[in-house]
Short mmCIF file of all heavy atoms in Angstrom, two decimals:
data_model
loop_
_atom_site.label_atom_id
_atom_site.label_comp_id
_atom_site.label_asym_id
_atom_site.label_seq_id
_atom_site.Cartn_x
_atom_site.Cartn_y
_atom_site.Cartn_z
N LEU A 61 115.99 87.50 54.98
CA LEU A 61 117.25 86.79 55.24
C LEU A 61 118.18 86.88 54.04
O LEU A 61 119.39 87.10 54.20
CB LEU A 61 116.97 85.32 55.57
CG LEU A 61 116.38 85.05 56.94
CD1 LEU A 61 116.00 83.59 57.07
CD2 LEU A 61 117.36 85.44 58.02
N ALA A 62 117.64 86.72 52.84
CA ALA A 62 118.47 86.82 51.63
C ALA A 62 119.04 88.23 51.49
O ALA A 62 120.22 88.40 51.14
CB ALA A 62 117.64 86.46 50.40
N ARG A 63 118.22 89.23 51.79
CA ARG A 63 118.69 90.61 51.69
C ARG A 63 119.81 90.88 52.70
O ARG A 63 120.83 91.48 52.37
CB ARG A 63 117.53 91.57 51.93
CG ARG A 63 117.88 93.02 51.66
CD ARG A 63 116.69 93.95 51.86
NE ARG A 63 115.61 93.64 50.95
CZ ARG A 63 114.41 93.19 51.32
NH1 ARG A 63 114.14 93.00 52.59
NH2 ARG A 63 113.47 92.94 50.43
N ALA A 64 119.64 90.40 53.93
CA ALA A 64 120.68 90.59 54.95
C ALA A 64 121.95 89.85 54.56
O ALA A 64 123.07 90.37 54.76
CB ALA A 64 120.17 90.08 56.30
N HIS A 65 121.80 88.65 54.00
CA HIS A 65 122.98 87.88 53.58
C HIS A 65 123.73 88.62 52.47
O HIS A 65 124.97 88.71 52.50
CB HIS A 65 122.53 86.50 53.09
CG HIS A 65 123.65 85.63 52.66
ND1 HIS A 65 124.58 85.14 53.54
CD2 HIS A 65 123.99 85.15 51.44
CE1 HIS A 65 125.45 84.39 52.88
NE2 HIS A 65 125.12 84.39 51.60
N MET A 66 122.99 89.16 51.50
CA MET A 66 123.63 89.89 50.41
C MET A 66 124.30 91.17 50.92
O MET A 66 125.38 91.53 50.45
CB MET A 66 122.61 90.24 49.32
CG MET A 66 122.19 89.03 48.50
SD MET A 66 123.61 88.20 47.73
CE MET A 66 124.19 89.47 46.64
N GLU A 67 123.68 91.84 51.89
CA GLU A 67 124.30 93.04 52.46
C GLU A 67 125.61 92.68 53.15
O GLU A 67 126.62 93.40 53.03
CB GLU A 67 123.35 93.72 53.44
CG GLU A 67 122.21 94.44 52.76
CD GLU A 67 121.23 95.02 53.75
OE1 GLU A 67 121.46 94.91 54.98
OE2 GLU A 67 120.22 95.59 53.30
N ASP A 68 125.62 91.56 53.87
CA ASP A 68 126.86 91.11 54.53
C ASP A 68 127.93 90.78 53.50
O ASP A 68 129.10 91.13 53.67
CB ASP A 68 126.59 89.88 55.40
CG ASP A 68 125.82 90.22 56.66
OD1 ASP A 68 125.77 91.42 57.01
OD2 ASP A 68 125.26 89.29 57.28
N ARG A 69 127.53 90.09 52.43
CA ARG A 69 128.50 89.74 51.39
C ARG A 69 129.06 91.00 50.72
O ARG A 69 130.26 91.06 50.43
CB ARG A 69 127.84 88.85 50.34
CG ARG A 69 127.37 87.50 50.83
CD ARG A 69 128.53 86.58 51.06
NE ARG A 69 129.29 86.42 49.85
CZ ARG A 69 129.54 85.28 49.25
NH1 ARG A 69 129.09 84.18 49.77
NH2 ARG A 69 130.23 85.25 48.14
N MET A 70 128.20 91.98 50.46
CA MET A 70 128.66 93.23 49.84
C MET A 70 129.60 93.97 50.78
O MET A 70 130.63 94.52 50.33
CB MET A 70 127.46 94.12 49.50
CG MET A 70 126.61 93.58 48.38
SD MET A 70 127.46 93.51 46.82
CE MET A 70 127.51 95.24 46.41
N ARG A 71 129.29 93.97 52.07
CA ARG A 71 130.16 94.63 53.04
C ARG A 71 131.53 93.94 53.09
O ARG A 71 132.57 94.60 53.12
CB ARG A 71 129.49 94.61 54.43
CG ARG A 71 130.12 95.59 55.39
CD ARG A 71 129.35 95.66 56.71
NE ARG A 71 127.94 95.95 56.54
CZ ARG A 71 126.96 95.11 56.87
NH1 ARG A 71 127.21 93.93 57.38
NH2 ARG A 71 125.70 95.45 56.69
N GLU A 72 131.52 92.61 53.07
CA GLU A 72 132.79 91.87 53.06
C GLU A 72 133.58 92.15 51.81
O GLU A 72 134.82 92.33 51.86
CB GLU A 72 132.51 90.36 53.16
CG GLU A 72 132.02 89.91 54.50
CD GLU A 72 131.59 88.45 54.49
OE1 GLU A 72 131.84 87.75 53.48
OE2 GLU A 72 131.03 88.00 55.50
N ALA A 73 132.92 92.19 50.65
CA ALA A 73 133.60 92.47 49.39
C ALA A 73 134.20 93.87 49.40
O ALA A 73 135.34 94.08 48.94
CB ALA A 73 132.64 92.31 48.22
N ASP A 74 133.45 94.85 49.93
CA ASP A 74 133.98 96.22 50.02
C ASP A 74 135.20 96.28 50.94
O ASP A 74 136.19 96.95 50.62
CB ASP A 74 132.90 97.18 50.53
CG ASP A 74 131.84 97.47 49.49
OD1 ASP A 74 132.10 97.22 48.30
OD2 ASP A 74 130.74 97.92 49.88
N ALA A 75 135.14 95.57 52.06
CA ALA A 75 136.27 95.57 52.99
C ALA A 75 137.49 94.92 52.34
O ALA A 75 138.62 95.40 52.50
CB ALA A 75 135.89 94.83 54.27
N GLU A 76 137.27 93.84 51.59
CA GLU A 76 138.39 93.17 50.91
C GLU A 76 139.00 94.06 49.84
O GLU A 76 140.22 94.15 49.72
CB GLU A 76 137.90 91.87 50.29
CG GLU A 76 139.02 91.01 49.76
CD GLU A 76 138.54 89.66 49.28
OE1 GLU A 76 137.42 89.27 49.64
OE2 GLU A 76 139.29 89.02 48.54
N ARG A 77 138.14 94.75 49.07
CA ARG A 77 138.67 95.69 48.05
C ARG A 77 139.46 96.81 48.71
O ARG A 77 140.51 97.22 48.21
CB ARG A 77 137.52 96.25 47.23
CG ARG A 77 137.07 95.35 46.13
CD ARG A 77 136.17 96.07 45.14
NE ARG A 77 134.94 96.52 45.75
CZ ARG A 77 133.80 95.84 45.74
NH1 ARG A 77 133.75 94.67 45.15
NH2 ARG A 77 132.73 96.32 46.31
N HIS A 78 138.95 97.32 49.82
CA HIS A 78 139.65 98.39 50.53
C HIS A 78 141.02 97.89 51.02
O HIS A 78 142.03 98.61 50.90
CB HIS A 78 138.81 98.87 51.71
CG HIS A 78 139.43 99.99 52.48
ND1 HIS A 78 139.60 101.25 51.97
CD2 HIS A 78 139.96 100.02 53.74
CE1 HIS A 78 140.19 102.01 52.87
NE2 HIS A 78 140.42 101.28 53.96
N ALA A 79 141.06 96.68 51.55
CA ALA A 79 142.33 96.12 52.04
C ALA A 79 143.30 95.93 50.88
O ALA A 79 144.51 96.23 51.02
CB ALA A 79 142.07 94.79 52.74
N LEU A 80 142.83 95.45 49.74
CA LEU A 80 143.72 95.27 48.58
C LEU A 80 144.26 96.60 48.08
O LEU A 80 145.43 96.71 47.70
CB LEU A 80 142.98 94.54 47.46
CG LEU A 80 142.68 93.06 47.72
CD1 LEU A 80 141.84 92.48 46.60
CD2 LEU A 80 143.99 92.29 47.87
N ARG A 81 143.41 97.62 48.07
CA ARG A 81 143.88 98.95 47.64
C ARG A 81 144.93 99.48 48.61
O ARG A 81 145.92 100.10 48.20
CB ARG A 81 142.70 99.93 47.56
CG ARG A 81 141.88 99.78 46.32
CD ARG A 81 140.96 100.97 46.10
NE ARG A 81 140.07 101.19 47.23
CZ ARG A 81 138.80 100.81 47.28
NH1 ARG A 81 138.27 100.18 46.26
NH2 ARG A 81 138.06 101.06 48.33
N LEU A 82 144.72 99.25 49.90
CA LEU A 82 145.69 99.70 50.90
C LEU A 82 147.04 98.98 50.73
O LEU A 82 148.09 99.62 50.78
CB LEU A 82 145.13 99.45 52.30
CG LEU A 82 145.96 99.98 53.47
CD1 LEU A 82 146.08 101.49 53.39
CD2 LEU A 82 145.31 99.56 54.78
N VAL A 83 147.00 97.68 50.48
CA VAL A 83 148.24 96.92 50.27
C VAL A 83 148.95 97.43 49.01
O VAL A 83 150.18 97.63 49.02
CB VAL A 83 147.92 95.41 50.15
CG1 VAL A 83 149.11 94.64 49.62
CG2 VAL A 83 147.49 94.87 51.50
N ALA A 84 148.20 97.67 47.95
CA ALA A 84 148.80 98.17 46.71
C ALA A 84 149.39 99.56 46.92
O ALA A 84 150.49 99.86 46.42
CB ALA A 84 147.75 98.20 45.60
N ALA A 85 148.71 100.41 47.68
CA ALA A 85 149.22 101.76 47.94
C ALA A 85 150.52 101.70 48.74
O ALA A 85 151.47 102.44 48.46
CB ALA A 85 148.17 102.57 48.68
#
Side-chain angles (χ1 to χ4, degrees):
L61 287 173
R63 188 178 298 115
H65 181 67
M66 287 303 296
E67 286 176 3
D68 288 343
R69 296 286 302 238
M70 291 295 287
R71 196 174 306 116
E72 289 173 9
D74 287 342
E76 189 174 343
R77 278 194 296 266
H78 181 68
L80 289 175
R81 282 194 302 260
L82 185 62
V83 167

